[in-house]
Amino acid sequence: MLLNVRRRWQRWRRSRPFWGGLFAILAGSWICVLPLAPLKIMLQQGVAGIPSVLMGIVMIVLGLTAWFSPPQRSLAGVLTTLIATAALVLSNLGGFLIGTLLGILGGGLMFAWQPYAGRRAGTAKAAPPPPTPHHDPQGAQP
């Protein structure tokens, strides 16, 4: 039973950009949590914390999108990288650089991920040999 659950988890995890989505979710959480300080500090901060919260939520959604809709991984990866870079300027140095670095790493992993095409034993065919040039004994070029 436990072995079956573990195999299903591994199959699910390998069929999507899991690590890219995880890093994007962590980056979004880190960027989103920093401005959600106690109410007294939040009132002093004013509306400056709103972009941080929104960027964090969008990054979390993009990470979940990569997990549950792998065909959208390229767009999610590019947007995650752009938002993480924008967070550097708009959100406490991107969560004190931790959120930005996690977001760029996650976006890159999402963009670079490719679906695994399983190879079966015995089905891989050898490449045909390259064609040999035709030799004309009289030296004429074709």
Side-chain angles (χ1 to χ4, degrees):
M1 167 80 174
L2 186 59
L3 187 61
N4 188 24
V5 171
R6 185 174 177 201
R7 284 184 184 159
R8 286 179 52 202
W9 164 251
Q10 287 177 344
R11 193 175 324 122
W12 182 85
R13 188 188 59 176
R14 290 179 181 156
S15 67
R16 59 206 68 243
F18 178 77
W19 293 109
L22 181 66
F23 284 130
I25 291 170
L26 290 175
S29 300
W30 185 261
I31 290 172
C32 193
V33 166
L34 286 180
L36 294 178
L39 185 59
K40 185 177 181 182
I41 297 173
M42 195 62 181
L43 290 175
Q44 291 174 355
Q45 186 174 342
V47 296
I50 293 174
S52 301
V53 174
L54 290 177
M55 284 189 287
I57 290 172
V58 170
M59 287 177 73
I60 291 170
V61 168
L62 288 170
L64 292 172
T65 299
W67 278 359
F68 297 108
S69 182
Q72 305 301 323
R73 70 188 181 280
S74 297
L75 178 63
V78 169
L79 289 177
T80 299
T81 304
L82 290 175
I83 292 171
T85 306
L88 188 63
V89 177
L90 299 173
S91 173
N92 300 324
L93 288 176
F96 302 118
L97 292 179
I98 295 171
T100 294
L101 292 176
L102 287 173
I104 291 172
L105 177 65
L109 287 173
M110 282 190 277
F111 186 78
W113 181 84
Q114 292 293 318
Y116 176 72
R119 293 183 185 161
R120 296 181 184 158
T123 59
K125 295 181 181 179
T132 56
H134 178 69
H135 178 68
D136 189 5
Q138 297 175 359
Q141 294 294 328

